[in-house]
Amino acid sequence: MDSLNMTDELVSFFTDELAEMRLQTKYENILKAPTVYDGYLPLKKNARRGDEDTEQDYYPYVIVRFLYEKDNLKDSNVMKFRLLIATYSKDERQGWRETLDVMNHIKFALKEVDSVGPGLLTGEIESALFEEQMKPLWHGVMEVDFATPSVQLDRSVLGDGFNH
């Protein structure tokens, strides 16, 4: 399992697990499930050119971001992922609760299955809300580790590495 495939597995898993949630958006009376992205948010449209979308249109969302991998080259491989959670709430006192709710859904879903694709959840699930919030936009972060099968190369296909 390589890191790109594991990222895709996590995006699919979180999309399914969060599909039933209904969270606030910047539009009155429109609720939606968090959209799950890999890596980074898509480019936002330019409001100066007459495009109507702004960054707030993406809320709520979860970004699955690959951080790093430890491969001991023989028998174990661990990948670390950061999850960026963002919600929208005009409630300046309690708005943080929606972000924490998404984080709890993610944590409970991971603990229930214990693995995603070939990745086995290991270590701790770390969660934190940002200390400074850009109200009405609320953010949190999670980090999770997965043990995955170590990639083994078929050396007979590679040859000895020298061209004679």
Side-chain angles (χ1 to χ4, degrees):
M1 168 61 55
D2 67 46
S3 51
L4 288 172
N5 290 333
M6 190 63 198
T7 301
D8 293 342
E9 291 276 351
L10 289 169
V11 168
S12 178
F13 175 77
F14 294 132
T15 298
D16 292 345
E17 289 296 324
L18 301 173
E20 300 300 317
M21 293 189 83
R22 291 297 171 254
L23 302 170
Q24 295 179 44
T25 66
K26 77 174 191 175
Y27 303 104
E28 293 294 322
N29 303 318
I30 296 181
L31 304 176
K32 71 173 202 161
T35 304
V36 183
Y37 299 100
D38 63 332
Y40 297 85
L41 284 177
L43 292 176
K44 63 183 177 180
K45 294 180 181 177
N46 188 336
R48 289 186 197 152
R49 291 188 311 203
D51 296 334
E52 295 181 21
D53 288 353
T54 66
E55 185 176 346
Q56 290 181 5
D57 288 315
Y58 294 120
Y59 288 75
Y61 64 80
V62 173
I63 295 175
V64 177
R65 187 171 293 160
F66 171 79
L67 287 183
Y68 65 84
E69 180 174 12
K70 290 182 186 179
D71 187 340
N72 82 356
L73 305 180
K74 296 287 183 202
D75 57 3
S76 70
N77 194 55
V78 176
M79 295 180 195
K80 181 176 278 297
F81 290 87
R82 176 171 292 146
L83 308 175
L84 302 168
I85 295 87
T87 60
Y88 181 94
S89 176
K90 290 182 180 178
D91 186 336
E92 292 203 13
R93 184 164 137 30
Q94 299 292 315
W96 59 273
R97 289 179 169 272
E98 285 199 0
T99 301
L100 192 55
D101 189 31
V102 174
M103 293 166 70
N104 284 335
H105 269 74
I106 289 171
K107 178 176 71 170
F108 298 149
L110 286 172
K111 290 175 93 170
E112 186 175 306
V113 298
D114 203 34
S115 64
V116 176
L120 179 64
L121 187 63
T122 63
E124 302 169 337
I125 299 173
E126 297 180 44
S127 305
L129 291 171
F130 288 10
E131 189 66 31
E132 297 292 323
Q133 298 288 347
M134 301 178 296
K135 304 167 191 171
L137 309 176
W138 301 85
H139 298 89
V141 63
M142 300 176 77
E143 289 190 2
V144 293
D145 294 346
F146 291 91
T148 61
S150 187
V151 175
Q152 300 297 321
L153 298 176
D154 183 353
R155 300 238 182 250
S156 64
V157 175
L158 298 176
D160 64 8
F162 296 101
N163 294 326
H164 299 287

